[in-house]
Amino acid sequence: MSNESTYRFEDQQPDEGHLPEGVTAEQVREVNAQMRDIAEVPAVEVITTAAVHLMSAAAVKCGLGAEENAADLKDLDEARKLITALAGFVTAAAPEIGSQHAAPLRDGLRSLQLAFREASAFPDKPGQGPGEKFTGPVF
């Protein structure tokens, strides 16, 4: 007795009669194309792209956006979460992607940690800032 509730996307042409409710054959073809595209991307590229997205979001939340209203977008609670996630991500990924790729990510992370400290009305003690449990104290 099998109660399969997932659909497996494969290279074969989708059969309209075997698709989950609300899913069209065209949607299946689009997902298949996207899966083939992502399969061709090296892991280091996926990792660095994800890190850059975290960095960009953290920079905006630290008030470093280029827009006129950058200060209005500042949210240090959100920035702390993003920087901590980035620190854990970069620390875990560094041995896998090698120092040539990890070094710029570490530099960006450090810059964000310093920007966070500067943006804080009451800066954290060294070693207690966002992500510093993964990176060590940032001065």
Side-chain angles (χ1 to χ4, degrees), residues 26-48:
E26 180 59 29
Q27 290 171 323
V28 171
R29 282 190 285 279
E30 288 177 24
V31 169
N32 285 339
Q34 291 172 358
M35 287 173 53
R36 281 189 295 277
D37 290 345
I38 197 72
E40 296 169 5
V41 179
V44 68
E45 225 174 286
V46 175
I47 291 167
T48 55

Side-chain angles (χ1 to χ4, degrees), residues 47-122:
I47 291 167
T48 55
T49 299
V52 168
H53 283 295
L54 286 168
M55 283 183 190
S56 298
V60 169
K61 298 295 185 178
C62 282
L64 302 175
E67 301 84 21
E68 293 176 8
N69 65 342
D72 297 337
L73 301 174
K74 184 164 75 170
D75 184 339
L76 295 181
D77 183 50
E78 290 289 303
R80 178 183 296 277
K81 293 171 187 172
L82 290 163
I83 293 169
T84 300
L86 176 63
F89 186 66
V90 170
T91 301
E96 302 299 324
I97 62 176
S99 61
Q100 72 184 35
H101 297 288
L105 298 178
R106 285 187 184 119
D107 291 344
L109 170 59
R110 183 175 183 279
S111 295
L112 285 168
Q113 289 171 312
L114 292 171
F116 181 91
R117 179 165 284 132
E118 188 175 305
S120 299
F122 303 100

Side-chain angles (χ1 to χ4, degrees), residues 5-26:
S5 61
T6 60
Y7 181 79
R8 182 176 167 88
F9 293 92
E10 299 175 354
D11 285 335
Q12 65 191 20
Q13 291 298 322
D15 178 7
E16 291 282 349
H18 293 93
L19 294 176
E21 188 176 325
V23 176
T24 67
E26 180 59 29

